[in-house]
């Protein structure tokens, strides 16, 4: 009987993509995926440590797994991802029932790690080179294959299906070292993948049914610039153009971009590439120059606003979203007001906002003037309330317009779909439609977080 694995993914899209690859690697050594954690022989948590809360979730699930392991002593428990990279072997001390700790750039070795575990090697020994794994450029190892095999670019078919929408990681790590952020510590330095590998992977995904492709990187604008493995000095705009030429892609997206590196070349892509969706996620983090400086962000409020203007001159209908941190150490009421002002000036379609959280190993963890938790809570609520008001206004601007949507989910004709600007539209369809299909709908009603529409035509 085949072994059963349950993979639980926390955190960002990059982790989701990594989970798919791990699932594929595990399939190659006899594991099938199950949806119920209780049924699994191997539970693998792919973890996130971006904020303290994200990490707490992982440890609370690990606590639960301790009980599952008492009921089923043969159960294997693995921890992968950013918490694994950050905490390393300390995890075994805190959670002695964990069998395997897999670093963010070690997961390609998962099959051989499991084999060593089966042979009775100690888990500490197997998980011992977390730190040294950073010396191996990611992707290169995967693409060279294990033990000198042929290149293996095959993307994972999660549960045997290619979903209509797929993520493709184009670069790993980050060199920016924003003062609050663990990513450069948990993911290592920035490394870009070879264009030929990216093109090959996208081509394969599209040939298997993917209609929408999202290119992923912590800072896609610097793609190709710090590049030990890439085959070219091509920048991100050129990569986008190359990928857009692959026949069969209906929609192309990317995330995330740092404002300081946002080039006119990239903006021009929104004019030239039909399938590039008019949505731009441009994390601001704060509207106050003094906070941006302490965050180690490499732009000012003024530069940020200039980039927004310029982007809108290339693509007037572009929908903007952002990430905001409230309550960064030293953030005063006036600083926070500047963030509120930025929100009102840009009028984002939507945003992700977070209370600042101290993270191990980051510079800001040692900054003084920490903001009181209650004040952080108040600021977050204030920001989110204003964002909701603006989102509703933005959504109301779309009422009566006819727009193209891509079907995401169809339950007996009740459809969830998405516009190219990344707005969710619900409607009922008289025709059979499957995820990935495109059709025209007329927007009839705007809510804060989604729109309603009526079907017009295919
Ligand atoms: N590379 C992206 C962000 C990746 S992390 C960029 O630079 O924009 C996703 C978001 O998590 C960040 O944009 C930030 O808003 C938030 N974040 C990161 N570290 C945080 C911390 N210590 N506390 C609170 N939010 C944090
Ligand atoms: Fe973190 Fe800054 Fe890198 Fe984004 S750019 S991943 S916030 S260090
Ligand atoms: Fe979290 Fe790591 Fe992604 S910290 S946000 S899973 S890069």
């Amino acid at each position: 009987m085949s072994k059963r694995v349950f993979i639980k993914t926390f955190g960002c899209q990059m982790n989701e993509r990594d989970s798919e690859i791990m699932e594929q690697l595990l399939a190659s050594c006899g594991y099938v995926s199950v949806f119920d954690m209780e049924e699994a022989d191997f539970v693998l948590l792919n973890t996130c440590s971006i904020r303290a809360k994200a990490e707490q979730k992982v440890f609370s699930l690990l606590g639960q797994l301790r009980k599952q392991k008492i009921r089923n002593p043969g159960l294997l428990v693995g921890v992968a991802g950013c918490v694994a990279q950050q905490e390393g072997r300390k995890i075994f001390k805190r959670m002695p029932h964990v069998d395997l700790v897999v670093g963010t750039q070690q997961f390609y070795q998962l099959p051989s790690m499991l084999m060593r575990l089966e042979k009775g090697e100690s888990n500490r020994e197997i998980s011992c080179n977390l730190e040294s794994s950073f010396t191996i450029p990611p992707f290169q190892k995967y693409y060279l294959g294990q033990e000198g095999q042929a290149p293996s670019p095959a993307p994972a078919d999660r549960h045997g299906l290619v979903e209509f929408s797929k993520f493709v990681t184009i670069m790993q790590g980050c060199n920016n070292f924003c003062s609050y952020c663990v990513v450069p510590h948990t993911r290592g330095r920035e490394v870009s993948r070879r264009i030929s590998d990216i093109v090959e992977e996208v081509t394969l995904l599209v040939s298997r049914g993917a209609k929408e492709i999202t290119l992923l990187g912590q800072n896609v604008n610097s793609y190709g610039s710090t590049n030990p493995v890439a085959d070219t000095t091509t920048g991100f705009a050129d990569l986008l153009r190359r990928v857009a030429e692959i026949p069969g892609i209906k929609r192309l997206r990317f995330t995330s971009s740092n404002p300081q590196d946002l080039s006119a070349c990239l903006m021009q892509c929104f004019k030239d590439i039909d399938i590039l969706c008019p949505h731009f996620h441009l994390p601001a983090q704060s509207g106050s120059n003094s906070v941006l400086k302490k965050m180690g962000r490499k732009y000012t409020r003024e530069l940020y606003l200039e980039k927004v203007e310029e982007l809108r001159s290339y693509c007037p209908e572009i929908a903007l979203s952002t990430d905001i941190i409230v309550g960064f150490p030293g953030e005063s009421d006036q600083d926070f007001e500047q963030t509120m002002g930025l929100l009102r000036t840009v009028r984002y379609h939507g945003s992700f906002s977070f209370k600042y959280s101290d993270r191990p190993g980051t510079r800001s963890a040692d900054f003084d003037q920490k903001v009181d938790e209650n004040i952080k809570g108040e600021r977050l609520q204030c920001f989110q309330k204003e964002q909701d008001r603006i989102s509703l206004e933005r959504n109301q601007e779309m009422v009566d317009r006819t727009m193209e949507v891509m079907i995401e989910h169809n339950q007996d004709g009740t459809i969830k779909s998405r516009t190219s600007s990344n707005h969710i539209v619900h409607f009922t369809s008289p025709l059979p439609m499957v995820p990935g299909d495109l059709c025209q709908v007329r927007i009839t009603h705007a809510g804060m977080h989604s729109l309603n529409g009526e079907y017009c035509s295919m």
Side-chain angles (χ1 to χ4, degrees), residues 10-12 14-15 47-50 82 182-183 186-187 218:
F10 299 83
C12 63
M14 220 163 272
N15 257 14
T47 62
C48 173
S49 76
I50 198 82
C82 290
V182 289
V183 172
T186 59
R187 295 270 171 175
Q218 294 298 349

Side-chain angles (χ1 to χ4, degrees), residues 14 23 26 52 157 160 185 208 234-235 262 268 289-290 347 353:
M14 220 163 272
E23 189 174 37
L26 288 169
D157 286 359
H185 310 279
R208 292 182 185 184
T234 311
L262 176 49
Q268 182 65 34
N289 281 337
S290 84
R347 300 185 70 240
S353 47

